[in-house]
Amino acid sequence: MTAALLNRLGHGLRASMRMRFDAAAFGLGASSVGALSAPLTRLLSDESGTFAWLVDLIAHWQWLYVVAGGVCAAILLRRRPAVLVLLASGLIGIGWSGATTRADSATPGSGPALTIATANLELGQASLDDLAHWIGGLGADLVVLQEVSKEAARRIAQWQDYPHQLVTADEGPFGLAILSRTPLTGSEALESLQQPLRYRSFISWQGHRIGISAIHPMPPINPTYHQRRVEMLTEEAQWSQLVSAPSIVAGDLNSTPWSSALASVAPAGLLRATGLRPTWPAILPVIPIDHILINDAWQVVESGVGPNIGSDHRPAFAVLSLKAQAIHAE
């Protein structure tokens, strides 16, 4: 009886092991398929409709595919043919490499640098003390804020380091602000029934006229919002070209570097200054959706992601310098 019981236990353990490694094979396969959504969504960047929207949503989760796929591949290398495992891993690598192009890098200390930060305040839930401490440590020249509540706006108005402010408070997700150490000029606020509020403005920095656009497009929770997000980013890319000045677009873009939305603005010369490090959700970030985009007048000295400030997003920043040709053009 004891032998029969041990035999049944052994059989159950072997079956459990087989199920575990089958799960690993499924996980690696699913990660490979998910990763390939990145190049596919680029092919569909001019398309609208449910299929293009779903592919784009799947493309956002490349960090998940890399981590989960890597764990599953490590398990399977002991149990499956290495060629198949490596092939599936290669497909994940293809997806990862589908991120939109990042702007050129500059050597630190090579010239004057402008620092810009962006933060989503989660309807005013973020700790403004923590945010102020962080941007103070950065020495940020410009700060772009989203989901600015009335209380947050009241407190931000008291920040002496940023006396020049464009602020629209809202108890919903559409509050927006640009904070600057230097005067903001030529400012305009754009809003319509189709698109939420965005700001466009200019500052004078190191003798140069700099354009700054603050945006917070709708999250792509359906095909319509997916298309409106693309339209807003495309319009800001066109504005960046028309102003004939070094320009910056910043905010919670609700788009990852693998999204068709960011791919759509790259041909217009609007590239990421921020990297691939995730910003949402703040506790365990898995997707990078908070970005700073720049036109080809700039190069990136440094960029990164800030600490958890009590919002559901982590803030992001970039340190920028002008290219020599942009300086001479001025």
Side-chain angles (χ1 to χ4, degrees), residues 5-65:
L5 178 61
L6 290 175
N7 185 51
R8 284 197 296 271
L9 287 174
H11 178 75
L13 181 60
R14 288 192 296 273
S16 175
M17 292 289 286
R18 284 196 297 271
M19 289 179 62
R20 181 172 59 146
F21 286 109
D22 285 344
F26 176 81
L28 181 58
S31 296
S32 302
V33 172
L36 290 177
S37 61
L40 179 57
T41 198
R42 282 200 170 201
L43 294 175
L44 298 172
S45 60
D46 294 330
E47 302 292 329
S48 59
T50 301
F51 180 69
W53 164 62
L54 287 173
V55 171
D56 194 63
L57 279 183
I58 296 169
H60 279 66
W61 302 89
Q62 298 299 319
W63 271 101
L64 178 62
Y65 306 142

Side-chain angles (χ1 to χ4, degrees), residues 22 76 93 95 123 153 169 184 200 218 241 246 261 264 279 310:
D22 285 344
L76 289 169
L123 306 176
L184 293 158
R200 293 171 180 170
M218 296 297 292
Q241 288 182 314
S264 67
T279 58

